[in-house]
Amino acid sequence: MNRILFLCTGNYYRSRYAEELFNHLAKLEGLTWRAFSRGAAERGSPDNVGPMSVFARDGLHEKGIVPEGATRDPLPCSLADFEAAALVIAVKEAEHRPLIERRFPTAAARVTYWHVDDVEFAHPSIALAMIDEHVRELVTNLQAEQGPS
């Protein structure tokens, strides 16, 4: 089983949504990939209440997806997480590249960056739609690489 690591700042909103959406679609498509997610920051924001952002949870529920990790608290990333992943994606380059380069200089070159803003800069309807598009494109690309199941 290949693994994808999704990173956002606090592992509360964007990376959690990407993880759950990817895992749902990967299962439907018979991919040999599964995602997990972490926060690039050493600790999450004190403003993050509960295990997962209501925006992520509601966005998943709107698609009929019950998040498997809905009760898991956000987790900060470690070097072992990079080592466990075949592919690493950070959801916002301007925000996450500096954090990753500072905390994980030996792993920083492995990261692919998207450009999805956090809630204070993009309404969740826009940000989640962008993540949807990226995740669906990723699933399509991995299907093509994997071949028929």
Side-chain angles (χ1 to χ4, degrees), residues 4-23 35-41 43-45 48 50-60 63 65 67 72 74-75 89-100 112-136 138:
I4 296 175
L5 169 59
F6 286 108
L7 296 168
C8 68
T9 304
N11 191 222
Y12 183 66
Y13 167 43
R14 295 167 293 170
S15 64
R16 297 292 288 282
Y17 181 82
E19 171 192 4
E20 295 287 349
L21 178 62
F22 179 88
N23 285 338
F36 66 111
S37 65
R38 300 290 185 263
R43 43 185 127 342
S45 168
N48 294 350
M52 180 188 283
S53 165
V54 67
F55 302 123
R57 199 173 56 244
D58 289 352
L60 293 164
K63 291 177 172 31
I65 299 170
R72 173 181 70 77
L75 296 169
I89 298 171
V91 298
K92 179 65 178 179
E93 183 170 16
E95 184 180 346
H96 301 126
R97 184 183 289 274
L99 279 170
I100 293 165
T112 298
Y113 293 94
W114 292 346
H115 303 285
V116 180
D117 286 315
D118 207 346
V119 69
E120 61 267 10
F121 300 109
H123 190 273
S125 63
I126 294 167
L128 297 180
M130 291 176 72
I131 293 172
D132 283 354
E133 186 176 317
H134 284 300
V135 168
R136 290 177 190 282
L138 178 60

Side-chain angles (χ1 to χ4, degrees), residues 2-4 22 29-33 86-89 112 134-149:
N2 292 306
R3 297 185 75 200
I4 296 175
F22 179 88
E29 299 299 332
L31 286 179
T32 59
W33 288 81
L87 181 61
V88 181
I89 298 171
T112 298
H134 284 300
V135 168
R136 290 177 190 282
E137 181 180 347
L138 178 60
V139 167
T140 298
N141 292 340
L142 292 173
Q143 278 180 300
E145 289 176 19
Q146 181 174 299
S149 49

